[in-house]
Amino acid sequence: MTVPAIVANGLRKSFGDNTVLDGVDLEVEAGTVFALLGPNGAGKTTSVHILSTLIRSDAGTIRVAGCDLDTDPDGVRAAIAVTGQFAAVDGLLTGRENLELMADLYHLDRTVGRQRIAELLRRFDLEDAAGKPAATYSGGMRRRLDLAMSLVGDPRIIFLDEPTTGLDPRSRRTVWQIVRELVADGVTIFLTTQQLEEADQLADRIAVLDGGRIIAEGRPRELKRMIPGGHVTLRFTDADTLAAAERAFDESRSDVNELVLDVPSDGSTAAVRDVLDRLDAVDVIAQSLEVHTPDLDDVFLALTGRPEHQISAEFAQ
């Protein structure tokens, strides 16, 4: 049986009279991407700080990489790496020197350190720029170097805070691919991001934190199916065919001008098949069919009562 990478039970934290975490339970499976998301003031950043040993909780039990955080914080620190929102590289040092600095901080044997650095420069496509000052790197290169620095100590768990902030679409997708490769190698990623597409693309599981409590948790697809609003859009060639199709469904919404019919649906294969069977039953053929399901923006709006742009402040911390 695989030991979970992170387990937290009854996590509580207050600052003065302000209760930030009010009995949070988390379990992160090893070798997966777990995204903790939530609106401003939900306690997301505080959770990460506690799990990465930066601050102490007021109550609760926590195990990270099999180590009890209270009795073996050094064991936790030896197993994790934390990559912040902004690349923590020294612009005056070259890429190789930044990695050498990390190898020295980890007290790696010189030969082992050089081998590790060469491997990371190759893996993150930084060999050609290794001798150049990091200040001359593009945003994407600096982020790749920052991630490489996080891996010098060969961590089993990485906390990623806003890993693609400020990156162009190509660099963002490069970082996503690196994250997927890390997970394929068995690394666990604890992700925070203000880009909901990023969570959708990368996360195996997502927990939504609001008011100091986990209010929803599941795979991205499961969370989307919790929210009403999914539908199948059928497009027809003429008004008569549209009218005939509309009679086949108890609940639907038509637009005669656009010649489309929206049928409520959860987007599943069975639901789409049912739509097609109903059309066949009335001998109607649709010109086209599109499945629309709620996205994570809809999930946040429904669960927290706030649209995505109102929660970005928390993600930016």
Side-chain angles (χ1 to χ4, degrees), residues 14-15 21 32 55 65 83 96 131 157 161 179 223 231 237 262:
S14 297
F15 296 98
L21 300 177
T32 65
I55 62 175
T83 300
R96 179 176 283 107
I157 301 169
D161 183 18
V179 169
L223 292 180
H231 59 274
T237 56
D262 289 335

Side-chain angles (χ1 to χ4, degrees), residues 51-203:
L51 295 173
S52 59
T53 77
L54 295 177
I55 62 175
R56 294 180 63 87
S57 64
D58 296 333
T61 60
I62 304 169
R63 295 189 70 84
V64 178
C67 302
D68 186 283
L69 191 141
D70 287 330
T71 61
D72 189 12
D74 288 340
V76 172
R77 296 184 189 111
I80 70 172
V82 181
T83 300
Q85 177 180 351
F86 302 102
V89 304
D90 190 324
L92 298 179
L93 300 180
T94 66
R96 179 176 283 107
E97 288 169 342
N98 271 282
L99 292 170
E100 289 173 347
L101 175 61
M102 294 302 298
D104 290 341
L105 291 173
Y106 278 107
H107 304 291
L108 295 185
D109 174 83
R110 186 172 180 82
T111 301
V112 173
R114 285 180 174 177
Q115 292 174 344
R116 184 68 173 154
I117 290 168
E119 173 192 339
L120 289 170
L121 288 171
R122 181 168 54 254
R123 180 174 190 173
F124 286 85
D125 194 23
L126 292 170
E127 289 178 295
D128 292 341
K132 299 177 181 178
T136 65
Y137 286 13
S138 67
M141 292 172 66
R142 287 173 65 88
R143 177 51 77 185
R144 296 205 308 274
L145 176 59
D146 194 33
L147 286 170
M149 291 168 64
S150 298
L151 293 176
V152 170
D154 198 21
R156 286 177 281 164
I157 301 169
I158 300 178
F159 292 91
L160 287 183
D161 183 18
E162 297 282 355
T164 60
T165 295
L167 299 187
D168 61 74
R170 177 176 295 180
S171 296
R172 182 180 304 122
R173 293 187 179 278
T174 298
V175 172
W176 290 357
Q177 183 58 35
I178 291 172
V179 169
R180 293 186 180 105
E181 291 172 359
L182 290 172
V183 173
D185 289 342
V187 176
T188 303
I189 304 293
F190 195 104
L191 172 72
T192 69
T193 178
Q194 67 173 332
Q195 299 183 38
L196 302 185
E197 180 193 6
E198 186 161 84
D200 204 0
Q201 286 283 333
L202 296 177

Side-chain angles (χ1 to χ4, degrees), residues 133-298:
T136 65
Y137 286 13
S138 67
M141 292 172 66
R142 287 173 65 88
R143 177 51 77 185
R144 296 205 308 274
L145 176 59
D146 194 33
L147 286 170
M149 291 168 64
S150 298
L151 293 176
V152 170
D154 198 21
R156 286 177 281 164
I157 301 169
I158 300 178
F159 292 91
L160 287 183
D161 183 18
E162 297 282 355
T164 60
T165 295
L167 299 187
D168 61 74
R170 177 176 295 180
S171 296
R172 182 180 304 122
R173 293 187 179 278
T174 298
V175 172
W176 290 357
Q177 183 58 35
I178 291 172
V179 169
R180 293 186 180 105
E181 291 172 359
L182 290 172
V183 173
D185 289 342
V187 176
T188 303
I189 304 293
F190 195 104
L191 172 72
T192 69
T193 178
Q194 67 173 332
Q195 299 183 38
L196 302 185
E197 180 193 6
E198 186 161 84
D200 204 0
Q201 286 283 333
L202 296 177
D204 296 291
R205 292 189 69 81
I206 294 173
V208 181
L209 185 65
D210 193 22
R213 293 178 176 273
I214 301 295
I215 60 173
E217 182 177 351
R219 296 182 179 277
R221 183 181 297 274
E222 293 170 344
L223 292 180
K224 294 173 192 176
R225 286 183 176 175
M226 292 171 56
I227 308 303
H231 59 274
V232 173
T233 297
L234 302 167
R235 187 175 298 276
F236 299 93
T237 56
D238 58 76
D240 291 338
T241 307
L242 170 62
E246 188 172 11
R247 289 192 291 271
F249 300 95
D250 296 328
E251 296 182 7
S252 62
R253 183 179 58 194
S254 63
D255 185 329
V256 177
N257 294 326
E258 296 292 333
L259 296 177
V260 298
L261 181 69
D262 289 335
V263 180
S265 170
D266 63 6
S268 65
T269 301
V272 173
R273 184 181 296 114
D274 179 65
V275 169
L276 295 176
D277 288 343
R278 287 175 180 242
L279 291 178
D280 286 342
V282 295
D283 198 25
V284 168
I285 298 176
Q287 182 183 36
S288 64
L289 178 151
E290 295 180 10
V291 178
H292 300 268
T293 56
D295 58 22
L296 288 182
D297 288 320
D298 300 317

